[in-house]
Amino acid sequence: MKPAKTRQILTAPRSWRDMPWGDYFRDALTQQLQPYLGKLYGFHMLKLGSLSAEINTSQCAISHQVNVGIEGDDLQVIANTTQLPFEAKSIDACLLAHTLSWSQDPHRVLREVDRVLIDDGWMIISGFNPFSLLGISKGIPGLHKRAPWSGRMFSQTRLLDWLSLLNYEVVYRTRFQVVPWHSQGGKVISAHLPALGCLNIVVARKRTFPLTPTKMKKSLSKAQLRQTVNATRQFREVKDQDST
């Protein structure tokens, strides 16, 4: 397995239109997110990266939504996703639509998002599936320099491991959109082969209590009362003297 951090310079596309089938990817991702956007609540939401900024989140109950990134047409705050200019525990939800795909240090991005999220805050991550038809075609010579193949593709299992280390509870995950078009049987293929979908979505919540009990927690929960030394014998001696 390749390390998450890389020295390779990655340049994210400024828009979904800058990659083949980008409009289909954006629309499919937006459609899949709609049921969960309605469940988000709070005061502030961050959409990290230019691709996240183009996702329609109008169905979300969080009215104050800020687009953050290095470059893009719809950004409102220019900042690096590894150094967000927000206070700790001040954000209710963060959308990372393919943000990790063009990040040199995805671990650092996740830690920074975790820093600004409130307790029980929401993190929504999407990316390309390396085991899909799109991911396999990345090995074709010449494609690796073009988006979406120029981005990094992390498996859903790997994303779940990262979130588990940060103590996040995954409430929803799926793969979808096997082929990026809807005509000529595209919908049928995507409906019957979701495991091969080229798009990943993971919705998780930040938890403040350990999701997996540690050995120390287990030992504390099973702590036994210690018997006071000689307490029973002294009590019996006093009782015998009183009876005599």
Side-chain angles (χ1 to χ4, degrees):
M1 181 182 296
K2 295 182 179 180
K5 187 176 181 179
T6 180
R7 295 182 179 179
Q8 181 183 359
I9 303 300
L10 302 172
T11 303
R14 294 174 61 93
S15 171
W16 290 96
R17 296 183 296 273
D18 294 339
M19 67 177 76
W21 316 296
D23 291 338
Y24 290 104
F25 291 142
R26 181 199 59 215
D27 295 343
L29 182 58
T30 300
Q31 182 179 1
Q32 288 286 331
L33 287 177
Q34 293 311 307
Y36 285 88
L37 289 175
K39 298 179 181 180
L40 304 185
Y41 54 86
F43 300 98
H44 309 290
M45 178 179 181
L46 296 184
K47 299 165 72 173
L48 303 182
S50 56
L51 300 182
S52 298
E54 293 186 4
I55 300 298
N56 184 0
T57 55
S58 59
Q59 296 295 326
C60 181
I62 303 177
S63 58
H64 186 224
Q65 303 180 11
V66 181
N67 301 331
V68 183
I70 295 296
E71 57 179 0
D73 299 330
D74 300 324
L75 299 181
Q76 295 149 343
V77 175
I78 304 300
N80 196 314
T81 52
T82 59
Q83 295 177 328
L84 297 174
F86 303 100
E87 294 183 357
K89 297 186 178 183
S90 61
I91 305 300
D92 299 281
C94 286
L95 172 62
L96 293 82
H98 289 57
T99 307
L100 302 180
S101 299
W102 281 276
S103 172
Q104 290 181 277
D105 193 350
H107 286 174
R108 188 175 176 184
V109 174
L110 292 177
R111 288 195 297 268
E112 184 66 1
V113 171
D114 177 69
R115 180 186 69 82
V116 301
L117 275 180
I118 65 171
D119 296 340
D120 295 327
W122 296 81
M123 187 189 302
I124 304 174
I125 303 174
S126 72
F128 291 113
N129 179 14
F131 304 113
S132 63
L133 298 178
L134 180 72
I136 296 174
S137 62
K138 188 174 183 178
I140 299 177
L143 285 183
H144 67 281
K145 296 182 179 180
R146 300 172 51 193
W149 300 279
S150 60
R152 311 176 70 187
M153 300 184 183
F154 302 109
S155 67
Q156 194 173 97
T157 302
R158 198 170 186 185
L159 292 176
L160 296 181
D161 288 340
W162 294 347
L163 291 173
S164 176
L165 291 175
L166 292 173
N167 203 47
Y168 277 72
E169 179 186 6
V170 175
V171 297
Y172 176 73
R173 60 188 177 98
T174 186
R175 303 182 188 92
F176 58 98
Q177 204 66 29
V178 178
V179 292
W181 53 85
H182 300 293
S183 60
Q184 298 180 355
K187 290 184 177 180
V188 177
I189 296 175
S190 296
H192 289 82
L193 297 172
L196 298 179
C198 57
L199 294 177
N200 274 331
I201 283 183
V202 177
V203 181
R205 295 195 72 179
K206 179 179 179 180
R207 297 307 190 187
T208 55
F209 56 87
L211 299 178
T212 303
T214 61
K215 292 183 179 179
M216 181 176 294
K217 292 289 184 180
K218 290 181 179 179
S219 61
L220 290 176
S221 63
K222 296 181 179 180
Q224 298 178 354
L225 294 176
R226 295 182 179 180
Q227 184 179 0
T228 306
V229 179
N230 294 331
T232 304
R233 187 179 63 184
Q234 292 175 2
F235 175 76
R236 289 178 178 176
E237 290 177 353
V238 173
K239 185 177 180 181
D240 292 341
Q241 293 175 0
D242 294 339
S243 60
T244 55

